[in-house]
PDB file of all heavy atoms in Angstrom:
ATOM      1  N   LEU A   1      -0.636   2.789 -10.564  1.00 97.00           N
ATOM      2  CA  LEU A   1       0.402   2.411  -9.638  1.00 97.00           C
ATOM      3  C   LEU A   1       1.247   1.379 -10.116  1.00 97.00           C
ATOM      4  O   LEU A   1       0.732   0.276 -10.507  1.00 97.00           O
ATOM      5  CB  LEU A   1      -0.422   1.982  -8.248  1.00 97.00           C
ATOM      6  CG  LEU A   1       0.438   1.581  -7.064  1.00 97.00           C
ATOM      7  CD1 LEU A   1       1.277   2.708  -6.537  1.00 97.00           C
ATOM      8  CD2 LEU A   1      -0.354   0.915  -6.001  1.00 97.00           C
ATOM      9  N   SER A   2       2.574   1.581 -10.044  1.00 96.00           N
ATOM     10  CA  SER A   2       3.559   0.556 -10.607  1.00 96.00           C
ATOM     11  C   SER A   2       4.250  -0.110  -9.406  1.00 96.00           C
ATOM     12  O   SER A   2       4.058   0.257  -8.211  1.00 96.00           O
ATOM     13  CB  SER A   2       4.622   1.222 -11.533  1.00 96.00           C
ATOM     14  OG  SER A   2       5.468   1.985 -10.745  1.00 96.00           O
ATOM     15  N   SER A   3       5.181  -1.085  -9.673  1.00 96.00           N
ATOM     16  CA  SER A   3       6.031  -1.680  -8.653  1.00 96.00           C
ATOM     17  C   SER A   3       6.770  -0.756  -7.922  1.00 96.00           C
ATOM     18  O   SER A   3       7.034  -0.894  -6.718  1.00 96.00           O
ATOM     19  CB  SER A   3       6.746  -2.806  -9.281  1.00 96.00           C
ATOM     20  OG  SER A   3       7.568  -2.360 -10.242  1.00 96.00           O
ATOM     21  N   ALA A   4       7.223   0.302  -8.586  1.00 97.00           N
ATOM     22  CA  ALA A   4       8.075   1.366  -7.904  1.00 97.00           C
ATOM     23  C   ALA A   4       7.257   2.030  -6.855  1.00 97.00           C
ATOM     24  O   ALA A   4       7.724   2.347  -5.762  1.00 97.00           O
ATOM     25  CB  ALA A   4       8.605   2.263  -8.897  1.00 97.00           C
ATOM     26  N   GLY A   5       5.953   2.269  -7.261  1.00 97.00           N
ATOM     27  CA  GLY A   5       5.065   2.937  -6.295  1.00 97.00           C
ATOM     28  C   GLY A   5       4.794   2.075  -5.072  1.00 97.00           C
ATOM     29  O   GLY A   5       4.674   2.458  -3.910  1.00 97.00           O
ATOM     30  N   LEU A   6       4.612   0.706  -5.360  1.00 97.00           N
ATOM     31  CA  LEU A   6       4.407  -0.194  -4.265  1.00 97.00           C
ATOM     32  C   LEU A   6       5.535  -0.265  -3.227  1.00 97.00           C
ATOM     33  O   LEU A   6       5.303  -0.290  -2.046  1.00 97.00           O
ATOM     34  CB  LEU A   6       4.210  -1.603  -4.844  1.00 97.00           C
ATOM     35  CG  LEU A   6       2.874  -1.822  -5.579  1.00 97.00           C
ATOM     36  CD1 LEU A   6       2.882  -3.241  -6.259  1.00 97.00           C
ATOM     37  CD2 LEU A   6       1.716  -1.687  -4.649  1.00 97.00           C
ATOM     38  N   ARG A   7       6.771  -0.129  -3.827  1.00 97.00           N
ATOM     39  CA  ARG A   7       7.977  -0.103  -2.988  1.00 97.00           C
ATOM     40  C   ARG A   7       7.974   1.113  -1.993  1.00 97.00           C
ATOM     41  O   ARG A   7       8.202   1.002  -0.887  1.00 97.00           O
ATOM     42  CB  ARG A   7       9.217  -0.034  -3.831  1.00 97.00           C
ATOM     43  CG  ARG A   7      10.557  -0.157  -3.038  1.00 97.00           C
ATOM     44  CD  ARG A   7      11.780   0.021  -3.945  1.00 97.00           C
ATOM     45  NE  ARG A   7      11.711   1.171  -4.655  1.00 97.00           N
ATOM     46  CZ  ARG A   7      12.027   2.464  -4.232  1.00 97.00           C
ATOM     47  NH1 ARG A   7      12.213   2.615  -3.073  1.00 97.00           N
ATOM     48  NH2 ARG A   7      11.961   3.535  -5.093  1.00 97.00           N
ATOM     49  N   VAL A   8       7.531   2.250  -2.538  1.00 98.00           N
ATOM     50  CA  VAL A   8       7.494   3.490  -1.733  1.00 98.00           C
ATOM     51  C   VAL A   8       6.357   3.279  -0.681  1.00 98.00           C
ATOM     52  O   VAL A   8       6.618   3.725   0.504  1.00 98.00           O
ATOM     53  CB  VAL A   8       7.171   4.735  -2.511  1.00 98.00           C
ATOM     54  CG1 VAL A   8       6.982   5.938  -1.696  1.00 98.00           C
ATOM     55  CG2 VAL A   8       8.397   4.928  -3.519  1.00 98.00           C
ATOM     56  N   LEU A   9       5.282   2.721  -1.018  1.00 97.00           N
ATOM     57  CA  LEU A   9       4.162   2.492  -0.047  1.00 97.00           C
ATOM     58  C   LEU A   9       4.653   1.560   1.141  1.00 97.00           C
ATOM     59  O   LEU A   9       4.368   1.822   2.324  1.00 97.00           O
ATOM     60  CB  LEU A   9       2.906   1.852  -0.766  1.00 97.00           C
ATOM     61  CG  LEU A   9       2.241   2.865  -1.713  1.00 97.00           C
ATOM     62  CD1 LEU A   9       0.979   2.160  -2.253  1.00 97.00           C
ATOM     63  CD2 LEU A   9       1.806   4.162  -1.088  1.00 97.00           C
ATOM     64  N   LEU A  10       5.325   0.489   0.712  1.00 97.00           N
ATOM     65  CA  LEU A  10       5.834  -0.481   1.688  1.00 97.00           C
ATOM     66  C   LEU A  10       6.807   0.192   2.679  1.00 97.00           C
ATOM     67  O   LEU A  10       6.826   0.013   3.787  1.00 97.00           O
ATOM     68  CB  LEU A  10       6.557  -1.578   0.918  1.00 97.00           C
ATOM     69  CG  LEU A  10       7.080  -2.755   1.948  1.00 97.00           C
ATOM     70  CD1 LEU A  10       5.816  -3.359   2.715  1.00 97.00           C
ATOM     71  CD2 LEU A  10       7.706  -3.828   1.039  1.00 97.00           C
ATOM     72  N   SER A  11       7.712   1.077   2.147  1.00 96.00           N
ATOM     73  CA  SER A  11       8.651   1.714   2.900  1.00 96.00           C
ATOM     74  C   SER A  11       7.940   2.622   3.920  1.00 96.00           C
ATOM     75  O   SER A  11       8.284   2.707   5.155  1.00 96.00           O
ATOM     76  CB  SER A  11       9.652   2.528   2.035  1.00 96.00           C
ATOM     77  OG  SER A  11      10.422   3.323   2.777  1.00 96.00           O
ATOM     78  N   ALA A  12       6.989   3.388   3.401  1.00 97.00           N
ATOM     79  CA  ALA A  12       6.146   4.199   4.295  1.00 97.00           C
ATOM     80  C   ALA A  12       5.407   3.483   5.383  1.00 97.00           C
ATOM     81  O   ALA A  12       5.286   3.926   6.531  1.00 97.00           O
ATOM     82  CB  ALA A  12       5.141   5.062   3.406  1.00 97.00           C
ATOM     83  N   GLN A  13       4.928   2.264   4.962  1.00 97.00           N
ATOM     84  CA  GLN A  13       4.215   1.473   5.963  1.00 97.00           C
ATOM     85  C   GLN A  13       5.094   1.126   7.102  1.00 97.00           C
ATOM     86  O   GLN A  13       4.764   1.136   8.270  1.00 97.00           O
ATOM     87  CB  GLN A  13       3.500   0.263   5.277  1.00 97.00           C
ATOM     88  CG  GLN A  13       2.746  -0.639   6.234  1.00 97.00           C
ATOM     89  CD  GLN A  13       1.465   0.081   6.797  1.00 97.00           C
ATOM     90  OE1 GLN A  13       0.581   0.427   6.047  1.00 97.00           O
ATOM     91  NE2 GLN A  13       1.471   0.292   8.130  1.00 97.00           N
ATOM     92  N   LYS A  14       6.353   0.694   6.730  1.00 96.00           N
ATOM     93  CA  LYS A  14       7.328   0.233   7.674  1.00 96.00           C
ATOM     94  C   LYS A  14       7.613   1.401   8.650  1.00 96.00           C
ATOM     95  O   LYS A  14       7.789   1.229   9.881  1.00 96.00           O
ATOM     96  CB  LYS A  14       8.623  -0.284   7.009  1.00 96.00           C
ATOM     97  CG  LYS A  14       8.415  -1.594   6.392  1.00 96.00           C
ATOM     98  CD  LYS A  14       9.757  -2.115   5.753  1.00 96.00           C
ATOM     99  CE  LYS A  14       9.627  -3.483   5.171  1.00 96.00           C
ATOM    100  NZ  LYS A  14      10.791  -3.861   4.446  1.00 96.00           N
ATOM    101  N   THR A  15       7.822   2.597   8.156  1.00 96.00           N
ATOM    102  CA  THR A  15       8.083   3.723   8.969  1.00 96.00           C
ATOM    103  C   THR A  15       6.994   4.085   9.937  1.00 96.00           C
ATOM    104  O   THR A  15       7.125   4.215  11.105  1.00 96.00           O
ATOM    105  CB  THR A  15       8.447   4.978   8.105  1.00 96.00           C
ATOM    106  OG1 THR A  15       9.519   4.789   7.254  1.00 96.00           O
ATOM    107  CG2 THR A  15       8.607   6.278   8.920  1.00 96.00           C
ATOM    108  N   MET A  16       5.716   3.990   9.307  1.00 97.00           N
ATOM    109  CA  MET A  16       4.538   4.331  10.149  1.00 97.00           C
ATOM    110  C   MET A  16       4.240   3.190  11.165  1.00 97.00           C
ATOM    111  O   MET A  16       3.646   3.542  12.213  1.00 97.00           O
ATOM    112  CB  MET A  16       3.282   4.601   9.358  1.00 97.00           C
ATOM    113  CG  MET A  16       3.435   5.912   8.525  1.00 97.00           C
ATOM    114  SD  MET A  16       3.990   7.353   9.375  1.00 97.00           S
ATOM    115  CE  MET A  16       2.718   7.444  10.635  1.00 97.00           C
ATOM    116  N   ASN A  17       4.666   2.053  10.914  1.00 97.00           N
ATOM    117  CA  ASN A  17       4.369   0.920  11.938  1.00 97.00           C
ATOM    118  C   ASN A  17       5.167   1.205  13.185  1.00 97.00           C
ATOM    119  O   ASN A  17       4.711   0.886  14.401  1.00 97.00           O
ATOM    120  CB  ASN A  17       4.926  -0.375  11.402  1.00 97.00           C
ATOM    121  CG  ASN A  17       3.909  -1.012  10.306  1.00 97.00           C
ATOM    122  OD1 ASN A  17       2.744  -0.667  10.263  1.00 97.00           O
ATOM    123  ND2 ASN A  17       4.431  -2.003   9.699  1.00 97.00           N
ATOM    124  N   LYS A  18       6.259   1.969  13.053  1.00 96.00           N
ATOM    125  CA  LYS A  18       7.096   2.330  14.215  1.00 96.00           C
ATOM    126  C   LYS A  18       6.581   3.631  14.972  1.00 96.00           C
ATOM    127  O   LYS A  18       6.820   3.676  16.231  1.00 96.00           O
ATOM    128  CB  LYS A  18       8.558   2.604  13.873  1.00 96.00           C
ATOM    129  CG  LYS A  18       9.267   1.379  13.272  1.00 96.00           C
ATOM    130  CD  LYS A  18      10.690   1.778  12.648  1.00 96.00           C
ATOM    131  CE  LYS A  18      11.200   0.575  11.897  1.00 96.00           C
ATOM    132  NZ  LYS A  18      12.456   1.057  11.205  1.00 96.00           N
ATOM    133  N   GLN A  19       5.882   4.411  14.287  1.00 96.00           N
ATOM    134  CA  GLN A  19       5.495   5.708  14.930  1.00 96.00           C
ATOM    135  C   GLN A  19       3.996   5.941  14.890  1.00 96.00           C
ATOM    136  O   GLN A  19       3.654   7.045  15.471  1.00 96.00           O
ATOM    137  CB  GLN A  19       6.243   6.824  14.331  1.00 96.00           C
ATOM    138  CG  GLN A  19       5.961   7.099  12.861  1.00 96.00           C
ATOM    139  CD  GLN A  19       6.956   8.062  12.251  1.00 96.00           C
ATOM    140  OE1 GLN A  19       8.214   7.775  12.282  1.00 96.00           O
ATOM    141  NE2 GLN A  19       6.514   9.164  11.692  1.00 96.00           N
ATOM    142  N   GLY A  20       3.176   5.074  14.482  1.00 96.00           N
ATOM    143  CA  GLY A  20       1.774   5.341  14.433  1.00 96.00           C
ATOM    144  C   GLY A  20       1.031   4.386  13.431  1.00 96.00           C
ATOM    145  O   GLY A  20       1.257   3.211  13.477  1.00 96.00           O
ATOM    146  N   ALA A  21       0.251   4.958  12.493  1.00 98.00           N
ATOM    147  CA  ALA A  21      -0.568   4.327  11.616  1.00 98.00           C
ATOM    148  C   ALA A  21      -0.653   4.911  10.260  1.00 98.00           C
ATOM    149  O   ALA A  21      -0.451   6.024  10.093  1.00 98.00           O
ATOM    150  CB  ALA A  21      -2.013   4.099  12.159  1.00 98.00           C
ATOM    151  N   MET A  22      -0.832   4.006   9.315  1.00 98.00           N
ATOM    152  CA  MET A  22      -0.918   4.512   7.883  1.00 98.00           C
ATOM    153  C   MET A  22      -2.360   3.944   7.318  1.00 98.00           C
ATOM    154  O   MET A  22      -2.484   2.744   7.436  1.00 98.00           O
ATOM    155  CB  MET A  22       0.140   4.122   6.995  1.00 98.00           C
ATOM    156  CG  MET A  22       0.135   4.656   5.566  1.00 98.00           C
ATOM    157  SD  MET A  22       1.623   4.246   4.661  1.00 98.00           S
ATOM    158  CE  MET A  22       1.062   2.973   3.592  1.00 98.00           C
ATOM    159  N   VAL A  23      -3.022   4.884   6.595  1.00 98.00           N
ATOM    160  CA  VAL A  23      -4.286   4.454   5.890  1.00 98.00           C
ATOM    161  C   VAL A  23      -4.198   4.877   4.445  1.00 98.00           C
ATOM    162  O   VAL A  23      -3.771   6.044   4.195  1.00 98.00           O
ATOM    163  CB  VAL A  23      -5.531   5.035   6.686  1.00 98.00           C
ATOM    164  CG1 VAL A  23      -6.803   4.846   5.941  1.00 98.00           C
ATOM    165  CG2 VAL A  23      -5.471   4.660   8.174  1.00 98.00           C
ATOM    166  N   VAL A  24      -4.747   4.024   3.651  1.00 98.00           N
ATOM    167  CA  VAL A  24      -4.858   4.363   2.180  1.00 98.00           C
ATOM    168  C   VAL A  24      -6.469   4.400   1.938  1.00 98.00           C
ATOM    169  O   VAL A  24      -7.158   3.443   2.231  1.00 98.00           O
ATOM    170  CB  VAL A  24      -4.186   3.177   1.331  1.00 98.00           C
ATOM    171  CG1 VAL A  24      -4.340   3.580  -0.172  1.00 98.00           C
ATOM    172  CG2 VAL A  24      -2.684   3.049   1.665  1.00 98.00           C
ATOM    173  N   ARG A  25      -6.808   5.605   1.376  1.00 98.00           N
ATOM    174  CA  ARG A  25      -8.218   5.774   1.122  1.00 98.00           C
ATOM    175  C   ARG A  25      -8.498   6.074  -0.400  1.00 98.00           C
ATOM    176  O   ARG A  25      -7.674   6.517  -1.067  1.00 98.00           O
ATOM    177  CB  ARG A  25      -8.682   7.080   1.891  1.00 98.00           C
ATOM    178  CG  ARG A  25      -8.749   6.883   3.463  1.00 98.00           C
ATOM    179  CD  ARG A  25      -9.402   7.998   4.112  1.00 98.00           C
ATOM    180  NE  ARG A  25      -9.405   7.767   5.561  1.00 98.00           N
ATOM    181  CZ  ARG A  25      -9.217   8.701   6.486  1.00 98.00           C
ATOM    182  NH1 ARG A  25      -9.073   9.946   6.198  1.00 98.00           N
ATOM    183  NH2 ARG A  25      -9.212   8.339   7.738  1.00 98.00           N
ATOM    184  N   ASN A  26      -9.772   5.787  -0.690  1.00 98.00           N
ATOM    185  CA  ASN A  26     -10.244   6.133  -2.069  1.00 98.00           C
ATOM    186  C   ASN A  26      -9.616   5.388  -3.095  1.00 98.00           C
ATOM    187  O   ASN A  26      -9.201   6.061  -4.178  1.00 98.00           O
ATOM    188  CB  ASN A  26     -10.311   7.635  -2.236  1.00 98.00           C
ATOM    189  CG  ASN A  26     -11.054   8.319  -1.192  1.00 98.00           C
ATOM    190  OD1 ASN A  26     -12.195   7.961  -0.774  1.00 98.00           O
ATOM    191  ND2 ASN A  26     -10.571   9.414  -0.638  1.00 98.00           N
ATOM    192  N   VAL A  27      -9.404   4.122  -3.066  1.00 97.00           N
ATOM    193  CA  VAL A  27      -8.590   3.358  -3.963  1.00 97.00           C
ATOM    194  C   VAL A  27      -9.555   2.950  -5.028  1.00 97.00           C
ATOM    195  O   VAL A  27     -10.683   2.454  -4.756  1.00 97.00           O
ATOM    196  CB  VAL A  27      -8.018   2.050  -3.300  1.00 97.00           C
ATOM    197  CG1 VAL A  27      -7.394   1.190  -4.319  1.00 97.00           C
ATOM    198  CG2 VAL A  27      -7.000   2.527  -2.227  1.00 97.00           C
ATOM    199  N   ASN A  28      -9.139   3.230  -6.272  1.00 96.00           N
ATOM    200  CA  ASN A  28     -10.043   2.796  -7.428  1.00 96.00           C
ATOM    201  C   ASN A  28      -9.925   1.275  -7.633  1.00 96.00           C
ATOM    202  O   ASN A  28      -9.101   0.631  -7.121  1.00 96.00           O
ATOM    203  CB  ASN A  28      -9.818   3.657  -8.690  1.00 96.00           C
ATOM    204  CG  ASN A  28      -8.402   3.366  -9.361  1.00 96.00           C
ATOM    205  OD1 ASN A  28      -7.886   2.255  -9.194  1.00 96.00           O
ATOM    206  ND2 ASN A  28      -7.848   4.299  -9.933  1.00 96.00           N
ATOM    207  N   GLU A  29     -10.815   0.788  -8.574  1.00 95.00           N
ATOM    208  CA  GLU A  29     -10.836  -0.691  -8.759  1.00 95.00           C
ATOM    209  C   GLU A  29      -9.590  -1.261  -9.319  1.00 95.00           C
ATOM    210  O   GLU A  29      -9.019  -2.295  -8.895  1.00 95.00           O
ATOM    211  CB  GLU A  29     -11.911  -0.935  -9.792  1.00 95.00           C
ATOM    212  CG  GLU A  29     -12.277  -2.427  -9.922  1.00 95.00           C
ATOM    213  CD  GLU A  29     -13.428  -2.660 -10.890  1.00 95.00           C
ATOM    214  OE1 GLU A  29     -14.373  -1.767 -11.012  1.00 95.00           O
ATOM    215  OE2 GLU A  29     -13.533  -3.779 -11.609  1.00 95.00           O
ATOM    216  N   THR A  30      -8.917  -0.481 -10.285  1.00 94.00           N
ATOM    217  CA  THR A  30      -7.697  -1.033 -10.816  1.00 94.00           C
ATOM    218  C   THR A  30      -6.547  -1.091  -9.713  1.00 94.00           C
ATOM    219  O   THR A  30      -5.865  -2.202  -9.734  1.00 94.00           O
ATOM    220  CB  THR A  30      -7.250  -0.049 -11.941  1.00 94.00           C
ATOM    221  OG1 THR A  30      -8.348   0.051 -12.924  1.00 94.00           O
ATOM    222  CG2 THR A  30      -5.983  -0.511 -12.631  1.00 94.00           C
ATOM    223  N   ILE A  31      -6.415  -0.065  -9.039  1.00 96.00           N
ATOM    224  CA  ILE A  31      -5.374  -0.101  -7.905  1.00 96.00           C
ATOM    225  C   ILE A  31      -5.713  -1.108  -6.953  1.00 96.00           C
ATOM    226  O   ILE A  31      -4.841  -1.814  -6.322  1.00 96.00           O
ATOM    227  CB  ILE A  31      -5.156   1.243  -7.394  1.00 96.00           C
ATOM    228  CG1 ILE A  31      -4.485   2.078  -8.552  1.00 96.00           C
ATOM    229  CG2 ILE A  31      -4.189   1.271  -6.135  1.00 96.00           C
ATOM    230  CD1 ILE A  31      -4.397   3.666  -8.191  1.00 96.00           C
ATOM    231  N   GLY A  32      -7.023  -1.254  -6.592  1.00 96.00           N
ATOM    232  CA  GLY A  32      -7.492  -2.248  -5.768  1.00 96.00           C
ATOM    233  C   GLY A  32      -7.056  -3.659  -6.102  1.00 96.00           C
ATOM    234  O   GLY A  32      -6.653  -4.492  -5.344  1.00 96.00           O
ATOM    235  N   GLU A  33      -7.232  -3.952  -7.379  1.00 96.00           N
ATOM    236  CA  GLU A  33      -6.746  -5.292  -7.993  1.00 96.00           C
ATOM    237  C   GLU A  33      -5.341  -5.423  -7.807  1.00 96.00           C
ATOM    238  O   GLU A  33      -4.852  -6.531  -7.508  1.00 96.00           O
ATOM    239  CB  GLU A  33      -7.262  -5.354  -9.505  1.00 96.00           C
ATOM    240  CG  GLU A  33      -8.688  -5.503  -9.683  1.00 96.00           C
ATOM    241  CD  GLU A  33      -9.132  -5.540 -11.132  1.00 96.00           C
ATOM    242  OE1 GLU A  33      -8.208  -5.767 -11.945  1.00 96.00           O
ATOM    243  OE2 GLU A  33     -10.247  -5.375 -11.483  1.00 96.00           O
ATOM    244  N   ILE A  34      -4.548  -4.368  -8.022  1.00 96.00           N
ATOM    245  CA  ILE A  34      -3.038  -4.511  -7.904  1.00 96.00           C
ATOM    246  C   ILE A  34      -2.771  -4.881  -6.440  1.00 96.00           C
ATOM    247  O   ILE A  34      -1.915  -5.809  -6.232  1.00 96.00           O
ATOM    248  CB  ILE A  34      -2.430  -3.178  -8.256  1.00 96.00           C
ATOM    249  CG1 ILE A  34      -2.523  -2.973  -9.800  1.00 96.00           C
ATOM    250  CG2 ILE A  34      -0.870  -3.218  -7.843  1.00 96.00           C
ATOM    251  CD1 ILE A  34      -2.125  -1.473 -10.253  1.00 96.00           C
ATOM    252  N   PHE A  35      -3.404  -4.222  -5.450  1.00 97.00           N
ATOM    253  CA  PHE A  35      -3.230  -4.576  -4.086  1.00 97.00           C
ATOM    254  C   PHE A  35      -3.668  -6.070  -3.759  1.00 97.00           C
ATOM    255  O   PHE A  35      -2.929  -6.701  -3.005  1.00 97.00           O
ATOM    256  CB  PHE A  35      -4.046  -3.717  -3.097  1.00 97.00           C
ATOM    257  CG  PHE A  35      -3.420  -2.180  -3.150  1.00 97.00           C
ATOM    258  CD1 PHE A  35      -4.262  -1.193  -2.685  1.00 97.00           C
ATOM    259  CD2 PHE A  35      -2.053  -1.922  -3.401  1.00 97.00           C
ATOM    260  CE1 PHE A  35      -3.776   0.063  -2.548  1.00 97.00           C
ATOM    261  CE2 PHE A  35      -1.619  -0.651  -3.217  1.00 97.00           C
ATOM    262  CZ  PHE A  35      -2.449   0.393  -2.838  1.00 97.00           C
ATOM    263  N   ASP A  36      -4.624  -6.518  -4.357  1.00 96.00           N
ATOM    264  CA  ASP A  36      -5.052  -7.915  -4.133  1.00 96.00           C
ATOM    265  C   ASP A  36      -4.081  -8.858  -4.793  1.00 96.00           C
ATOM    266  O   ASP A  36      -3.641  -9.766  -4.075  1.00 96.00           O
ATOM    267  CB  ASP A  36      -6.449  -8.123  -4.815  1.00 96.00           C
ATOM    268  CG  ASP A  36      -7.568  -7.492  -3.994  1.00 96.00           C
ATOM    269  OD1 ASP A  36      -7.466  -7.258  -2.826  1.00 96.00           O
ATOM    270  OD2 ASP A  36      -8.713  -7.292  -4.677  1.00 96.00           O
ATOM    271  N   VAL A  37      -3.687  -8.650  -5.976  1.00 96.00           N
ATOM    272  CA  VAL A  37      -2.687  -9.539  -6.643  1.00 96.00           C
ATOM    273  C   VAL A  37      -1.334  -9.624  -5.935  1.00 96.00           C
ATOM    274  O   VAL A  37      -0.760 -10.736  -5.801  1.00 96.00           O
ATOM    275  CB  VAL A  37      -2.543  -9.186  -8.085  1.00 96.00           C
ATOM    276  CG1 VAL A  37      -1.483  -9.942  -8.833  1.00 96.00           C
ATOM    277  CG2 VAL A  37      -3.866  -9.371  -8.821  1.00 96.00           C
ATOM    278  N   THR A  38      -0.895  -8.552  -5.452  1.00 96.00           N
ATOM    279  CA  THR A  38       0.396  -8.412  -4.818  1.00 96.00           C
ATOM    280  C   THR A  38       0.476  -8.822  -3.379  1.00 96.00           C
ATOM    281  O   THR A  38       1.432  -8.860  -2.662  1.00 96.00           O
ATOM    282  CB  THR A  38       1.065  -6.980  -4.982  1.00 96.00           C
ATOM    283  OG1 THR A  38       0.088  -6.056  -4.430  1.00 96.00           O
ATOM    284  CG2 THR A  38       1.254  -6.635  -6.448  1.00 96.00           C
ATOM    285  N   GLY A  39      -0.756  -8.824  -2.798  1.00 96.00           N
ATOM    286  CA  GLY A  39      -0.926  -9.195  -1.321  1.00 96.00           C
ATOM    287  C   GLY A  39      -0.794  -7.916  -0.543  1.00 96.00           C
ATOM    288  O   GLY A  39      -0.772  -8.055   0.749  1.00 96.00           O
ATOM    289  N   PHE A  40      -0.672  -6.723  -1.143  1.00 96.00           N
ATOM    290  CA  PHE A  40      -0.574  -5.537  -0.433  1.00 96.00           C
ATOM    291  C   PHE A  40      -1.917  -5.233   0.467  1.00 96.00           C
ATOM    292  O   PHE A  40      -1.856  -4.489   1.465  1.00 96.00           O
ATOM    293  CB  PHE A  40      -0.331  -4.327  -1.345  1.00 96.00           C
ATOM    294  CG  PHE A  40       1.162  -4.055  -1.383  1.00 96.00           C
ATOM    295  CD1 PHE A  40       2.007  -5.005  -2.013  1.00 96.00           C
ATOM    296  CD2 PHE A  40       1.740  -2.917  -0.957  1.00 96.00           C
ATOM    297  CE1 PHE A  40       3.332  -4.761  -2.126  1.00 96.00           C
ATOM    298  CE2 PHE A  40       3.164  -2.676  -1.095  1.00 96.00           C
ATOM    299  CZ  PHE A  40       3.990  -3.602  -1.691  1.00 96.00           C
ATOM    300  N   CYS A  41      -3.025  -5.789  -0.059  1.00 95.00           N
ATOM    301  CA  CYS A  41      -4.221  -5.693   0.829  1.00 95.00           C
ATOM    302  C   CYS A  41      -4.140  -6.261   2.172  1.00 95.00           C
ATOM    303  O   CYS A  41      -4.829  -5.872   3.065  1.00 95.00           O
ATOM    304  CB  CYS A  41      -5.470  -6.345   0.043  1.00 95.00           C
ATOM    305  SG  CYS A  41      -5.186  -8.025  -0.380  1.00 95.00           S
ATOM    306  N   ASP A  42      -3.209  -7.242   2.400  1.00 95.00           N
ATOM    307  CA  ASP A  42      -2.994  -7.785   3.720  1.00 95.00           C
ATOM    308  C   ASP A  42      -1.979  -6.929   4.522  1.00 95.00           C
ATOM    309  O   ASP A  42      -1.916  -7.139   5.706  1.00 95.00           O
ATOM    310  CB  ASP A  42      -2.370  -9.230   3.638  1.00 95.00           C
ATOM    311  CG  ASP A  42      -3.358 -10.135   2.857  1.00 95.00           C
ATOM    312  OD1 ASP A  42      -4.644  -9.875   3.079  1.00 95.00           O
ATOM    313  OD2 ASP A  42      -3.011 -11.047   2.089  1.00 95.00           O
ATOM    314  N   ILE A  43      -1.241  -6.049   3.834  1.00 94.00           N
ATOM    315  CA  ILE A  43      -0.176  -5.255   4.533  1.00 94.00           C
ATOM    316  C   ILE A  43      -0.707  -3.920   4.804  1.00 94.00           C
ATOM    317  O   ILE A  43      -0.406  -3.381   5.945  1.00 94.00           O
ATOM    318  CB  ILE A  43       1.097  -5.098   3.609  1.00 94.00           C
ATOM    319  CG1 ILE A  43       1.755  -6.476   3.275  1.00 94.00           C
ATOM    320  CG2 ILE A  43       2.130  -4.270   4.242  1.00 94.00           C
ATOM    321  CD1 ILE A  43       2.751  -6.513   2.248  1.00 94.00           C
ATOM    322  N   LEU A  44      -1.467  -3.283   3.995  1.00 97.00           N
ATOM    323  CA  LEU A  44      -1.915  -2.005   4.178  1.00 97.00           C
ATOM    324  C   LEU A  44      -3.302  -1.948   4.777  1.00 97.00           C
ATOM    325  O   LEU A  44      -4.103  -2.791   4.626  1.00 97.00           O
ATOM    326  CB  LEU A  44      -1.982  -1.243   2.803  1.00 97.00           C
ATOM    327  CG  LEU A  44      -0.746  -1.217   1.972  1.00 97.00           C
ATOM    328  CD1 LEU A  44      -1.047  -0.631   0.572  1.00 97.00           C
ATOM    329  CD2 LEU A  44       0.373  -0.369   2.735  1.00 97.00           C
TER     330      LEU A  44
END
């Protein structure tokens, strides 16, 4: 997952905040670390 992918996830989260909910499942350790370092673990 790169920063370009994070941008798409953030955009999807903003859309879903308006119309429902978004969940990310089955995150591997590497991507989990990216979420931790970038603060996305607090957003998603």
Side-chain angles (χ1 to χ4, degrees):
L1 177 67
S2 75
S3 59
L6 289 172
R7 183 184 56 76
V8 175
L9 293 181
L10 184 59
S11 176
Q13 183 65 65
K14 286 180 179 179
T15 299
M16 291 311 299
N17 283 346
K18 296 174 188 168
Q19 62 191 59
M22 181 173 110
V23 175
V24 181
R25 290 191 179 141
N26 304 313
V27 175
N28 69 29
E29 188 177 332
T30 304
I31 293 173
E33 286 178 17
I34 292 168
F35 286 159
D36 286 339
V37 169
T38 59
F40 270 66
C41 56
D42 299 325
I43 299 169
L44 303 175

